[in-house]
């Protein structure tokens, strides 16, 4: 967790559609406390809840805290701290950064949730070794990437860097809520896999899909083929645009763990057998799984 | 041409499959001389020719020159100046940078031709205003991108940054010489368009294709649709991965000029009509054509 150079306590808050998670990082960058509360809808309640969890996680150290970082879904202007169109929280527009900063009396930085998760996962997986380019692929409800160069988040000229989920490449041309057809997100996001491979309540689809495909179930093999094809297209797009030295697989789908890595590597090897250029890139050696035993998104929000 | 901060003469050399082009940039960064000679095959002749054209373009100013920059096709290790597998020049492996530097007594930087062209096109199109991210898309014989952030070329961790030509996305699944199928390069590179739309000798295919499609020729309309679809997929991949503020269209296909921009913008508008996210990116406003009245690749080699 190297990019905290201030060596003062930091608060990180990950605002999700169903929960808000907070972390206090101490002077050394270590996790000194975590908290989780349910998310409530509406702009006022979001501000109330963010301020409350910040106070609670910091306790009597609030006066020492030098910065609060917040990661949220929706459109985020990280320069101003303004957020917009956070559908899951019924927020149309909100000066989240300014309002929280005013109430807590601490500078606030707001970034989008995927970017925050990218910073947190990179810090946890790579520690101080943040030289070069790292891509964090968030296979969550949606699909997006966070790109770090030498530990610095890349937002792009309009905040759209890493929005590769809405690149239309899938020959199946599934309709996408964004209005296009065949977006990567329509095939290899958590929501898409749940649609392509419905399971009983509480059973995560991706591990079930892989297990059944391996057991020889034909329908599972067919759907897994479609999903993994799109995952590896996503990897190639990330790798062949910015050529990262590390690609971190994150988001809910990545909780599948090693079986997910194995099916990805199988597909990579198949493509590499036909393509010396791809073989030379050796993308398999660049893959890492995001850790799930730490609140990486909240940690990243603190460090972003 | 702002990134020459040394304010001393620089030589830039663009080594192509059929010609070698050189430029001398004076203390102010202005073009003080250009030369062009036919390319000859084989490692020894390439070194001879590069040294000869450098001496000739510099004339009696060679002693003042502080750096020679070379852009070449093939695999380029810009850290060492070693090049490999330059098929068009019969070069398997060559210490191009070291050998030229030794003979001329001047430091030499070698970069790949697309990266050099990216730097040159950005300098000519944008002048001193190189803040932020710029993507140069080279629709040449092949398809690749050069990415600049704040005027600095991005090579990636293995020199593969910008190699988006070999992202497989095309639902037509044309076989690619790289071994994959459906690579972008199989549809929207100069070589692919020449294959999809053969013309008489000396007639560039892209302007002919656009003119005939506009005149209502059905076959032309169908092929143009395939090509432009892949071009706009390429734009979306570039834009939604690194979110550049400027996208420069270069390479031989871009010599088509405004008619090419018009068919691209038409396709963008069609996609935007269905997708507010894409409409918000307004990629059409970011497009610029590379200039063809200046030796941009050689200028870029000097500045890279």
């Amino acid at each position: 967790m190297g990019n905290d150079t201030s060596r003062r306590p930091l608060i990180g808050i990950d605002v999700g559609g169903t929960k808000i998670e907070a972390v206090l990082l101490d002077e050394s960058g270590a996790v000194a406390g975590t908290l989780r509360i349910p998310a409530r809808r509406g702009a006022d309640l979001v501000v109330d809840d963010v301020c409350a969890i910040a106070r609670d996680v910091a306790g009597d150290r609030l006066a020492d805290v030098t910065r609060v970082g917040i990661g949220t879904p929706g459109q985020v202007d990280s320069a101003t701290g303004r957020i917009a169109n956070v559908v899951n929280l019924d927020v149309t527009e909100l000066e989240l950064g300014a309002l929280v900063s005013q109430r807590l009396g601490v500078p606030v930085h707001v970034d989008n949730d995927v970017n925050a998760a990218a910073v947190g996962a990179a810090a946890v997986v790579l520690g101080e070794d943040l030289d070069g380019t790292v891509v964090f692929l968030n296979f969550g409800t949606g699909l997006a990437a966070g790109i770090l160069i030498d530990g610095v988040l890349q937002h792009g000229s309009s905040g759209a860097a890493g929005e590769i989920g809405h690149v239309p490449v899938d020959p199946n041309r599934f309709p996408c809520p964004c209005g296009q057809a065949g977006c990567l997100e329509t095939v290899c996001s958590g929501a898409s896999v749940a649609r392509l491979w419905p399971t009983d309540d509480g059973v995560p689809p991706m591990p079930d899909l892989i297990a059944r495909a391996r057991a020889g179930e034909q329908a599972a093999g067919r759907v897994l083929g479609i999903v993994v094809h799109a995952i590896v297209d996503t990897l190639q797009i990330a790798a062949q645009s910015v050529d990262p030295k590390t690609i971190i697989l994150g988001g809910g789908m990545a909780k599948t763990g090693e079986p997910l890595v194995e099916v990805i590597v199988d597909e990579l090897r198949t493509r590499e057998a036909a393509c010396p250029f791809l073989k030379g890139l050796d993308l398999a050696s660049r893959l890492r799984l995001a850790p799930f035993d730490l609140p990486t998104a909240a940690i990243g929000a603190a460090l972003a």
Side-chain angles (χ1 to χ4, degrees), chain A:
Chain A
M1 295 173 211
N3 28 14
D4 170 19
T5 51
S6 64
R7 303 288 168 204
R8 296 281 295 277
L10 298 169
I11 293 172
I13 301 172
D14 176 44
V15 179
T18 58
K19 62 173 170 43
I20 301 178
E21 202 159 25
V23 65
L24 177 72
L25 300 185
D26 70 14
E27 285 78 354
S28 71
V31 175
T34 61
L35 268 183
R36 178 190 287 203
I37 58 175
R40 296 184 296 172
R41 287 160 169 262
D44 292 347
L45 291 178
V46 168
V47 175
D48 285 350
D49 288 346
V50 164
C51 291
I53 199 171
R55 286 201 177 93
D56 289 346
V57 81
D60 55 14
R61 307 211 50 189
L62 186 62
D64 302 331
V65 167
T66 52
R67 195 177 66 228
V68 174
I70 306 174
T72 84
Q75 289 165 6
V76 178
D77 182 340
S78 54
T80 63
R82 185 185 301 118
I83 66 174
N85 302 322
V86 189
V87 181
N88 290 335
L89 294 171
D90 291 341
V91 170
T92 311
E93 211 171 49
L94 174 61
E95 295 285 353
L96 180 64
L99 290 169
V100 172
S101 178
Q102 197 180 321
R103 285 224 219 153
L104 295 178
V106 178
V108 171
H109 174 79
V110 186
D111 221 310
N112 88 40
D113 52 353
V114 173
N115 281 340
V119 171
V124 172
V125 170
L126 301 170
E128 304 277 338
D129 181 24
L130 291 174
D131 286 353
T133 303
V134 175
V135 169
F136 173 82
L137 292 175
N138 192 68
F139 296 99
T141 307
L143 168 62
I147 304 169
L148 283 83
I149 299 183
D150 296 335
V152 178
L153 262 177
Q154 305 295 305
H155 293 98
S157 72
S158 64
E163 289 291 354
I164 57 176
H166 296 287
V167 170
V169 303
D170 166 46
N172 297 293
R173 299 267 153 211
F174 296 125
C176 183
C178 88
Q180 303 183 91
C183 290
L184 281 171
E185 183 170 301
T186 63
V187 198
C188 63
S189 64
S192 317
V193 175
R195 182 176 46 74
L196 292 166
W197 192 253
T199 50
D200 293 339
D201 270 2
V203 178
M206 197 67 195
D208 183 71
L209 179 61
I210 294 174
R212 286 174 189 266
R214 284 181 168 168
E217 278 189 35
Q218 218 170 359
R222 194 180 51 78
V223 171
L224 183 63
I226 293 172
V227 172
V228 174
H229 191 277
I231 292 176
V232 175
D233 285 351
T234 307
L235 287 179
Q236 282 197 245
I237 287 173
Q240 294 169 220
S241 53
V242 300
D243 191 21
K245 69 173 185 179
T246 305
I247 301 170
I248 303 176
L249 307 173
M253 250 169 86
K255 291 186 189 172
T256 308
E258 286 304 328
L260 177 67
V261 176
E262 287 162 17
V263 294
I264 291 173
V265 171
D266 284 350
E267 172 69 13
L268 277 170
R269 297 301 181 221
T270 303
R271 296 188 186 193
E272 287 170 0
C275 179
F277 162 71
L278 193 61
K279 190 176 165 68
L281 297 183
D282 193 10
L283 300 187
S285 71
R286 309 186 191 192
L287 294 180
R288 303 287 297 269
L289 280 165
F292 289 102
D293 50 350
L294 280 168
T296 48
I299 291 172
L303 299 174

